[in-house]
Amino acid sequence: MQDKTPLSPPPVLGHYDRPMWESIRARAMRLQQCKHCNTFRYPPGPTCGYCLSLDFEWQPISGKASIWSWIVFHRQYLEAYTTPYNVISIQLEEGPLMVSNLEGSEPKGSWIGQAVEICYVTLKDGTILPRFCLIQ
Ligand SMILES: [Zn+2]
């Protein structure tokens, strides 16, 4: 019997998500920025969460962020995530919160507030994901 467990959830490639995933594949992540109030949007969508404007431009992000929260999983759900693995909530310098994983070395002491920057990993199936590494 063939294992049908996905390596990782596939990227959502809807109208508003596709440009973001293309920028991730180019290792230069971009997000929508509201043309009315300059708020960055994540996840991608049709309206600004702050002012409800429909106007936006795709803008590169700095990749700099800080950790808001974290957890370590000891149960495996997907092939790409062997245990133990961490999940972090980060706040991008541009404002939005994202959920990702911390790559490389882990903080000594509290993870909360640690400065991180985006790094891109390529899974066995070729999927490129944005993850975050500590700024040393
Ligand atoms: Zn706005």
Side-chain angles (χ1 to χ4, degrees), residues 43-120:
T47 59
C48 175
Y50 186 76
C51 75
L52 302 179
S53 172
L54 297 172
D55 296 329
F56 66 88
E57 293 180 304
W58 287 96
Q59 295 290 345
I61 60 168
S62 69
K64 303 222 179 310
S66 62
I67 297 175
W68 263 49
S69 188
W70 62 280
I71 190 167
V72 174
F73 281 79
H74 295 275
R75 179 173 178 182
Q76 186 169 358
Y77 296 96
L78 296 164
E79 185 182 336
Y81 297 86
T82 56
T83 59
Y85 66 93
N86 68 68
V87 175
I88 57 173
S89 173
I90 58 95
Q91 183 172 31
L92 294 169
E93 190 173 70
E94 291 80 4
L97 296 174
M98 284 180 63
V99 174
S100 184
N101 308 100
L102 184 69
E103 285 286 312
S105 61
E106 297 179 351
K108 293 172 178 57
S110 176
W111 291 32
I112 309 297
Q114 292 285 329
V116 291
E117 62 187 348
I118 200 165
C119 54
Y120 299 91

